[in-house]
Amino acid sequence: MFPGAAVSTGKVDSAFFFIVASSGLLLLLVTAMMIIFVVRYGHRRRPHPQPVKDNVALEIVWTVIPLALVMVMFYFGYVDFEFIRNPPAGAMPVQVTARQWSWLFRYANGREDDVLRVPLGRPVALSMTSVDVLHCLYIPAFRIKEDCVPGMTTHLWFDADAAGTYEIFCTEYCGVGHSHMRSQCIVMPAADFDKWYAAPEEAGLAAAGLKILKSKGCLGCHSIDGSRKVGPTFKSLIGLQQAVTAASRARTVTVDAEYVRQYVLRPNVDVVKGYQPIMPNIPVTNEDLDAIIGYLETLR
Ligand code: CUA
């Protein structure tokens, strides 16, 4: 029905459509019987109803048929659930960290990214946790979904069977940035993936800064393209004249390297006009800050 996504897609869809189709048939049957009975046994035709007593054959039929039907549903559900729960041996492991409000994907070789890149035709096993509140990783195209729980590791796996870009959503309400907690699963031809996986990471201060922003989850709340998220965008941030409120007094500040540095170390001292004071304390070193500012300079 929805070709080209993952092996789990077909399995979940067939169970789903079986349940919808049998429920639809039952609905038609019950409605038709109801109408027939209303017409045939209505007050005008049969003013004196004859009570029916004991019909063993009928009772067996209406017990056995629904039982068989739900057992078939159970069978499909259970077999597919088993399949979805148990990753095959040799699946590529990826660690998933959920936090307010972004995803971080970490590969076996230490590579990290805020989008999930995977090779086509190779199963991927996700080990997931959260560092703050409950989140839930959902890839609709693959029909898979699982909670990310602080202090606990949960698992998901999939085997994508068509290259492409698929949406990842958080489907557990996790605070004001919940609706922004989105990412993508990029399924690449195996050769392209291997190339990306083995490529040395980009050198330089700005590249290091971007990497830190991704790995600390900053980009969950701050966009780099000017769009509005939970926090102000990073685009053209350095050099900006920004209206802020400090201790309920409004003032305008010039956002420069020093301001950014102080703000990260002591968040919410100033509150940017139109936003909430919800920036968390992110542990960063001075070198991290140098790199972050180096990157922000490139967005001027
Ligand atoms: Cu994370 Cu909703």
Side-chain angles (χ1 to χ4, degrees):
M1 191 64 94
F2 297 94
V7 182
S8 43
T9 310
K11 294 205 172 272
V12 172
D13 283 356
S14 46
F16 179 77
F17 287 117
F18 175 72
I19 293 171
V20 170
S22 41
S23 307
L25 277 178
L26 265 178
L27 175 72
L28 282 180
L29 186 73
V30 169
T31 312
M33 293 299 272
M34 206 167 72
I35 293 169
I36 291 169
F37 275 53
V38 163
V39 173
R40 189 158 168 195
Y41 301 105
H43 176 70
R44 243 175 267 152
R45 288 189 187 204
R46 301 197 181 223
H48 301 293
Q50 295 294 313
V52 179
K53 213 166 166 274
D54 294 344
N55 190 332
V56 177
L58 192 63
E59 282 172 22
I60 290 175
V61 167
W62 79 40
T63 307
V64 169
I65 291 179
L67 183 69
L69 199 58
V70 293
M71 287 315 283
V72 174
M73 287 178 190
F74 173 75
Y75 172 78
F76 277 128
Y78 185 76
V79 168
D80 295 344
F81 184 73
E82 274 279 297
F83 175 84
I84 285 171
R85 280 280 133 172
N86 297 301
M92 183 181 88
V94 179
Q95 304 278 340
V96 180
T97 307
R99 62 262 162 111
Q100 290 169 316
W101 289 281
S102 66
W103 300 98
L104 183 67
F105 303 101
R106 191 178 292 119
Y107 297 84
N109 70 352
R111 233 202 149 100
E112 290 180 343
D113 207 338
D114 56 0
V115 295
L116 175 59
R117 284 170 206 277
V118 300
L120 181 61
R122 189 170 159 202
V124 176
L126 307 177
S127 299
M128 317 192 295
T129 194
S130 163
V131 296
D132 38 52
V133 299
L134 288 178
H135 302 273
C136 183
L137 187 126
Y138 178 35
I139 310 181
F142 301 165
R143 313 284 189 269
I144 55 166
K145 186 173 181 233
E146 180 65 62
D147 279 6
C148 303
V149 184
M152 192 174 147
T153 305
T154 52
H155 303 273
L156 264 187
W157 80 277
F158 60 88
D159 188 357
D161 54 18
T165 300
Y166 304 97
E167 295 289 339
I168 295 179
F169 294 108
C170 176
T171 48
E172 184 76 58
Y173 182 69
C174 55
V176 288
H178 166 69
S179 61
H180 291 287
M181 197 167 160
R182 301 168 63 170
S183 181
Q184 287 170 331
C185 175
I186 303 176
V187 180
M188 314 161 85
D192 293 358
F193 176 83
D194 291 343
K195 212 153 88 194
W196 171 82
Y197 192 65
E201 295 196 43
E202 229 183 296
L205 192 66
L210 178 59
K211 191 178 174 211
I212 293 164
L213 290 177
K214 285 182 180 178
S215 106
K216 304 269 181 197
C218 309
L219 302 183
C221 299
H222 304 278
S223 77
I224 55 175
D225 61 1
S227 60
R228 187 191 165 105
K229 282 187 163 185
V230 176
T233 182
F234 284 152
K235 186 163 195 237
S236 312
L237 180 68
I238 301 278
L240 189 71
Q241 295 289 314
Q242 178 67 63
V244 297
T245 326
S248 57
R249 207 170 314 147
R251 64 186 182 111
T252 301
V253 296
T254 305
V255 181
D256 56 10
E258 192 48 35
Y259 185 82
V260 170
R261 194 177 287 276
Q262 291 308 321
Y263 200 92
V264 176
L265 296 173
R266 292 169 59 222
N268 310 319
V269 174
D270 290 329
V271 181
V272 176
K273 200 165 174 238
Y275 292 89
Q276 293 178 49
I278 51 169
M279 165 117 167
N281 261 301
I282 309 269
V284 280
T285 63
N286 274 325
E287 291 72 45
D288 290 344
L289 283 168
D290 289 342
I292 289 171
I293 290 159
Y295 175 72
L296 294 184
E297 294 278 2
T298 67
L299 298 177
R300 290 182 85 140

